[in-house]
Amino acid sequence: MNNLDSDLPTPVILTELEKGVIEEIKEHGGENIDRCIQCGKCAGSCPVALAGFLWFNKRFIHALTLGIKEEILDIPSPWACVSCNKCTEICPRDVKPFEVVFALRRVLVEELAMPTLTMEGLRTLYEYGHAVYQTTYPETRKKVGLPEKPPTTLAYPEALEELRALLRETKLGEIGLIPME
Ligand code: SF4
Ligand code: SF4
């Protein structure tokens, strides 16, 4: 080994299981994850990072490319992503960090590793066509002179049926979050 070789970092050899994590993210929409060079530009533009969350796009990508998954299942910040897409616009390597974060979300959904509020939101979306809906809303709307139902899926049962059919095409039924029929 010459002096130059000794200055090089030790290569990380991933196990098959760890490589499987990267493949799983790719299959769920984060195809370019292994193009990341950890330059940090995505983190510098990310509202999640700027809000002080300890975990954000760059760190998730780093962990996932090292095959780390179980340890990050309970971290809530993938759900804090506001889909601004700034990270994807700024990334010099076309990693599309936003897509990686959403791929991670899809994996988390399959593992049922999502915040209770998110689960409730998905059930409410299926039931009413709105992720946020309270049964007291019609009464409140009436009190302020509005029609009980706003002109959304609430007022159009056929649109709600279409939405439900779309949701049934997703994994949500398979994992028991929404009824299959
Ligand atoms: S900007 Fe792109 S290359 Fe740089 S750390 Fe983020 S994902 Fe990786
Ligand atoms: S899309 Fe999500 S991960 Fe990307 S910068 Fe916006 S909040 Fe951050």
Side-chain angles (χ1 to χ4, degrees):
M1 181 187 294
N2 61 35
N3 284 342
L4 276 177
D5 284 340
S6 64
D7 287 341
L8 290 173
T10 313
V12 178
I13 312 286
L14 299 185
T15 63
E16 287 308 309
L17 202 64
E18 288 163 342
K19 285 183 199 163
V21 173
I22 302 171
E23 288 312 310
E24 194 177 13
I25 290 295
K26 287 183 176 180
E27 282 163 18
H28 285 77
E31 288 90 355
N32 292 356
I33 184 170
D34 46 16
R35 294 176 56 87
C36 179
I37 52 170
Q38 287 290 296
C39 70
K41 281 180 181 283
C42 56
S45 65
C46 176
V48 176
L50 297 175
F53 283 87
L54 289 180
W55 281 84
F56 40 84
N57 44 23
K58 171 180 176 275
R59 288 196 72 193
F60 281 123
I61 291 169
H62 191 210
L64 292 165
T65 48
L66 291 173
I68 294 168
K69 184 176 108 180
E70 296 302 315
E71 295 81 349
I72 60 175
L73 286 181
D74 291 331
I75 294 172
S77 45
W79 305 98
C81 168
V82 293
S83 312
C84 66
N85 229 6
K86 285 183 183 171
C87 53
T88 293
E89 285 175 344
I90 207 167
C91 175
R93 296 277 299 158
D94 195 31
V95 174
K96 300 189 175 78
F98 164 66
E99 301 297 343
V100 176
V101 172
F102 265 61
L104 175 59
R105 276 195 191 181
R106 292 181 193 111
V107 170
L108 296 177
V109 167
E110 287 179 10
E111 305 265 355
L112 283 178
M114 53 185 149
T116 312
L117 271 179
T118 306
M119 288 199 204
E120 282 171 10
L122 287 168
R123 285 196 196 104
T124 314
L125 181 65
Y126 184 84
E127 188 73 21
Y128 300 103
H130 286 256
V132 178
Y133 180 78
Q134 288 179 2
T135 49
T136 52
Y137 283 169
E139 207 49 45
T140 312
R141 289 176 60 86
K142 239 174 30 184
K143 274 186 198 155
V144 296
L146 290 169
E148 278 184 45
K149 293 179 179 174
T152 63
T153 46
L154 283 169
Y156 297 97
E158 65 282 9
L160 182 58
E161 275 318 306
E162 281 176 27
L163 174 68
R164 286 179 175 169
L166 283 174
L167 289 171
R168 281 196 293 267
E169 293 292 313
T170 69
K171 296 256 177 188
L172 297 174
E174 260 176 58
I175 61 177
L177 260 185
I178 60 169
M180 287 299 274
E181 292 302 324

